[in-house]
Amino acid sequence: MSGGGFRRVGVLISGRGSNLQALYHAADRVGGYEIGCVIANRASAAGLAWAQAQGLATACIPHQDFAQKADFEAALQHELVRHNIEVICLAGFMRLLSASFLDRWPGRVLNIHPSLLPSFPGLHPQQQALDAGVSVSGCTVHFVSAEMDAGPIITQEVVPVLPGDDETALSRRILNAEHDLYPKALKAVCKGHVHWDGASDRAAIHQPVLESTVNGS
Ligand code: GRF
C-alpha cells in the first residue's frame, strides 16, 4: 500500500451541497476522515449556509472577485492550508482547477460525476444518458486532473435507467447512489487503499473500495 494516511478533508461546493451533507453524515459511520472546511465560490450556495449551521469551518471565495484564475486558486490554497487540509473533495464545484493548482495536490483531489465515465462527461450527463438510450448509468468517483471529468477512476456505482425516466427522475436515482458511494471512496483514498501518483493513466487500486467497506478496514 502506498500513499494515504490522510484525514482532514476540504469540501468545495458551488450549490445545493447534498453530497457535502452525505460526506458529513457518513463521516462517523464510514470513518476514516473528518471535514476540516467547506469552501464555496458562490455566496448563494445553499450548502454553505447548511455547513455554517453545522458549525463547520466555512469560507466563501467568489471566483468573480479575482481578475486571474491563479489569484482565485491562491486564495483557495491559502484557506485549505490554513485548515490543515490533506484531501479535497469537489462536490458540485463548478470551476475547473488548473494544472498548477492540481500539481500541489497530486492524488489528493476527488470529484463525483453523475455518469459512468468515460461516458457522458460535462454538463447534463443524466440527459445525455437518456438521449443515448442506455439502460444503465450511474456515478463515478475519480481523481481530478486538469482535463474535465477525465482523471483516473476510483470507483463507480451502476444505476438502472427505467422506462419513463426523465432527467429529474434519473438524476434523483443517481444522486442516491452518489451519497452512498462518495464517502466510501473518500475513506479508501484516506486509508491509502486507492492511490494516484498524479501522473499515471490509472489509479493504483490496492483494495477495491466496496471490499474495503465490507471488511470495515
Ligand atoms: C452532483 O450530481 C454531482 O455528481 C455533480 O454535481 C451535483 C452536485 O449536487 N458533480 P450537490 O450539490 O452535491 O447536491
Side-chain angles (χ1 to χ4, degrees):
M1 184 184 303
S2 58
F6 310 139
R7 186 157 187 91
R8 284 183 65 78
V9 179
V11 184
L12 272 52
I13 62 169
S14 297
R16 177 176 59 184
S18 73
N19 276 289
L20 161 66
Q21 293 190 32
L23 289 170
Y24 175 82
H25 289 307
D28 290 338
R29 179 169 39 88
V30 172
Y33 66 88
E34 65 191 12
I35 296 181
C37 74
V38 176
I39 304 175
N41 67 317
R42 287 192 188 129
S44 61
L48 187 62
W50 178 86
Q52 285 161 350
Q54 310 314 306
L56 290 168
T58 61
C60 181
I61 305 179
H63 60 276
Q64 68 269 23
D65 287 1
F66 300 85
Q68 305 290 334
K69 184 173 191 165
D71 297 330
F72 168 63
E73 292 184 339
L76 278 182
Q77 178 75 12
H78 177 81
E79 199 61 25
L80 293 163
V81 169
R82 193 166 80 82
H83 289 289
N84 300 313
I85 297 306
E86 297 167 296
V87 181
I88 299 169
C89 282
L90 308 185
F93 183 66
M94 302 301 283
R95 308 301 300 170
L96 274 183
L97 296 169
S98 72
S100 57
F101 178 88
L102 293 168
D103 282 349
R104 297 177 173 190
W105 298 88
R108 294 182 183 222
V109 186
L110 282 61
N111 182 44
I112 187 156
H113 183 78
S115 76
L116 296 176
L117 291 171
S119 292
F120 316 132
L123 294 176
H124 298 291
Q126 304 92 341
Q127 187 60 50
Q128 291 185 52
L130 291 169
D131 293 345
V134 294
S135 59
V136 293
S137 189
C139 51
T140 302
V141 182
H142 64 95
F143 288 110
V144 174
S145 63
E147 196 185 337
M148 185 172 61
D149 300 330
I153 290 169
I154 296 168
T155 188
Q156 299 180 298
E157 190 162 325
V158 175
V159 171
V161 179
L162 300 179
D165 269 356
D166 60 9
E167 189 178 12
T168 304
L170 181 58
S171 298
R172 192 176 302 130
R173 195 175 307 118
I174 293 175
L175 197 61
N176 279 334
E178 293 182 44
H179 295 165
D180 176 60
L181 194 66
Y182 209 177
K184 292 173 182 171
L186 174 58
K187 175 182 179 179
V189 171
C190 286
K191 287 194 157 287
H193 295 168
V194 181
H195 171 76
W196 182 45
D197 60 13
S200 309
D201 288 344
R202 303 267 182 91
I205 313 263
H206 303 290
Q207 199 173 327
V209 168
L210 298 179
E211 195 181 294
S212 317
T213 308
V214 170
N215 293 340
S217 54

